[in-house]
């Protein structure tokens, strides 16, 4: 315990300086990668340009919001921290960042233009192509995410909150958002999912195709399974426990259940068995993996009673049952379960990053279309981080942006004009990692991207 008399104020004196000092010198790293990717030209090529010569180019609006989100901004007003940093402006060779009001006006004005969200697709393909490299076929994970927003015209979600319910598609191989469908809160998660899968396919870079789809129970639809069968796509979809499946479970004997072992070969409490199944009048069968796991001690007090559960789970006789529909004929039940469960990392956790780390759940506008555009810019900022992590040294590859803000972005520096060059002076202890990143991003040459 620190006693009051053991504390003392250090002797100090505060003075001012006219030196150009910034606390955010590390933002040069993401901006340098944007430059190497040719992002400015790409944005200006596909987004509407200002009607007068005095207006800002669309690239300045988009990249300003991306930098603000990388720096930890939580609302448009936080752009003032960039605007007031004269040393940062000089270092980035930017005359001025737009004001918060200008950003909001731009979102409203551009967000209501026809097909504006489609204009973000070729911009996003820059990040996808760079991260994919030579990968020609990818796995798509899609999931709906609730955004609670107390906006005047926001609709009530099925969870009882006012807000929005965008559908988000991720590429499992790169952890990046390939496309999104910004939806009203009252749109059910299972609506138009096949159309969204096709939309994600179209949003892939040229030369890259879809090889597999993973979805939760909202994707268990005849049209989706027919489409996957017709195109030869692999799939793993959480299947609701229908009366037919319940009857099949009730007929299983104990020897029918195969114990699931962990990666070290040790038996777990989970077991599984497989069967062939069809959906509706679609006659082509697929494999159905039934998972079984004992309930907790409290649930086992009523072993002879069927307990209520969600549509995708079924609890009876002390066990919880869940099912996965898959096109994979080979492989063990454990292989299928592990493959399906990977979407928890590549989709669900990535959506959490998008919402929590890049403020995808803090929408700044009252207008639906303006918020849809802002959400798209949040996905661009997130995809830039995903690419940065792929290119970065090993110690940064698994970091979330919060850790990168501490270790890279929040770097105090002094900007000195030396002849025709600007020098950035930073702490000797922090310079090594920063220089490595800048060298990697400066020398990076992305593969050519086609729309």
């Amino acid at each position: 315990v620190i006693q009051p008399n053991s504390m003392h104020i250090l002797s100090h004196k505060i003075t001012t300086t006219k030196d150009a000092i910034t606390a955010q010198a590390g933002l040069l790293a993401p901006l340098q990668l944007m430059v190497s990717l040719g992002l400015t030209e790409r944005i200006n090529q596909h987004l509407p340009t200002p009607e007068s010569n005095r207006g800002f180019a669309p690239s300045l609006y988009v990249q300003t919001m991306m930098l603000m989100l990388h720096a930890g901004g939580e609302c448009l007003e936080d752009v003032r921290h960039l605007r007031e940093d004269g040393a940062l402006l000089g270092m980035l060779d930017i005359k001025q960042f737009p004001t918060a009001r200008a950003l909001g006006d731009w979102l409203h004005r551009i967000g209501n233009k026809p097909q504006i969200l489609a204009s973000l697709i070729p911009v996003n393909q820059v990040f996808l192509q760079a991260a994919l490299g030579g990968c020609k076929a990818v796995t798509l994970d899609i999931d709906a995410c609730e955004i609670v927003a107390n906006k005047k015209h926001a609709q009530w979600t099925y969870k009882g909150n006012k807000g929005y319910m965008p559908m988000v598609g991720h590429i499992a191989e790169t952890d990046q958002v390939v496309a999104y469908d910004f939806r009203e809160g009252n749109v059910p998660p299972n609506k138009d999912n096949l159309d969204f899968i096709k939309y994600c396919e179209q949003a892939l870079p040229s030369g890259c195709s879809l090889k597999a789809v993973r979805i939760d129970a909202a994707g268990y639809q005849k049209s989706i399974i027919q489409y996957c069968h017709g195109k030869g796509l692999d799939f793993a979809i959480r299947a609701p426990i229908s009366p037919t499946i319940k009857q099949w479970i009730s007929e299983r004997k104990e020897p029918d259940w195969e114990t699931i072992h962990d990666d070290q070969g040790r038996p777990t409490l989970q077991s599984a068995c497989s069967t062939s199944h069809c959906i509706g009048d679609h006659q082509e069968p697929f494999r159905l993996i039934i998972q079984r796991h004992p309930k907790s001690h409290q649930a086992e007090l009523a072993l002879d009673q069927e307990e209520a559960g969600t549509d995708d789970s079924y609890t009876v006789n002390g066990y919880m049952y869940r099912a996965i529909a898959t096109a994979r004929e080979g492989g063990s039940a454990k292989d299928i379960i592990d493959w399906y469960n990977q979407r928890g990392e590549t989709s669900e956790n990535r959506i959490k990053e998008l919402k929590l780390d890049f403020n995808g759940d803090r929408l700044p506008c009252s207008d639906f279309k303006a918020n849809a555009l802002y959400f798209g810019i949040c996905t661009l900022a997130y995809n830039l981080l995903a690419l940065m992590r792929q290119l970065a040294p090993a110690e940064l590859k698994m970091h979330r942006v919060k850790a990168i803000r501490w270790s890279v972005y929040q770097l105090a520096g002094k900007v000195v004009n030396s002849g025709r060059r600007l020098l950035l002076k930073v702490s000797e202890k922090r310079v090594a990692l920063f220089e490595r990143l800048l060298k990697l991003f400066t020398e990076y040459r992305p593969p050519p991207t086609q729309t």
Side-chain angles (χ1 to χ4, degrees), residues 22-26 28 91 408-416 423-435 438:
T22 177
Q24 307 174 94
L28 182 59
M91 183 181 66
V408 179
Y409 297 164
Q410 295 174 2
L411 176 64
K414 179 180 178 181
V415 181
V416 179
L423 298 180
L424 174 63
K425 296 185 176 183
V426 300
S427 169
E428 186 176 356
K429 294 181 179 179
R430 301 280 302 277
V431 73
L433 177 60
F434 187 50
E435 282 189 329
L438 282 182

Side-chain angles (χ1 to χ4, degrees), residues 218-380:
Y220 187 75
Q221 301 173 22
K222 183 182 73 173
S223 60
I224 291 177
I225 291 177
Q226 281 181 317
Y227 183 75
C228 291
H229 277 153
K231 294 202 67 173
L233 299 179
D234 202 355
F235 63 83
I237 305 173
R238 177 66 70 191
I241 306 296
S242 66
T244 301
I245 296 175
K246 290 180 181 179
Q247 177 64 31
W248 187 85
I249 289 173
S250 69
E251 295 171 355
R252 303 278 67 76
K253 305 299 182 183
E254 193 59 34
D256 296 331
W257 296 95
E258 174 190 351
T259 299
I260 300 296
H261 293 73
D262 62 19
D263 293 337
Q264 284 72 44
R266 297 169 299 197
T268 68
L269 296 177
Q270 185 177 188
S271 53
C273 57
S274 303
T275 184
S276 292
H277 194 69
C278 294
I279 182 171
D281 58 0
H282 179 52
Q283 296 302 310
E284 188 169 354
F286 51 85
R287 187 179 179 188
L288 197 68
I289 308 293
I290 310 294
Q291 303 166 254
R292 185 182 73 165
H293 194 284
K295 290 290 288 182
S296 64
H297 177 70
Q298 288 84 352
E300 293 172 0
L301 295 178
L303 297 181
D304 60 340
Q305 297 180 7
E306 180 177 324
E307 303 171 30
T310 61
D311 289 343
D312 63 353
S313 67
Y314 170 55
T315 303
V316 66
N317 296 335
Y319 285 96
M320 174 181 281
Y321 298 86
R322 305 187 80 184
I324 299 172
T326 181
R328 291 190 175 186
E329 294 297 332
S332 66
K334 179 182 182 303
D335 293 336
I336 305 300
I337 294 170
D338 288 346
W339 183 57
Y340 174 82
N341 287 342
Q342 287 172 13
R343 66 179 295 275
E345 176 64 21
T346 60
S347 178
E348 294 172 1
N349 287 343
R350 301 290 76 78
I351 287 176
K352 290 178 183 177
E353 275 194 284
L354 175 62
K355 292 171 62 177
L356 300 178
D357 296 354
F358 288 93
N359 296 296
D361 62 348
R362 297 189 180 185
L363 303 176
C365 304
S366 58
D367 182 76
F368 175 84
K369 293 182 178 179
N371 283 331
L373 177 57
Y374 178 79
F375 187 80
I377 294 171
C378 292
T379 67
L380 295 180

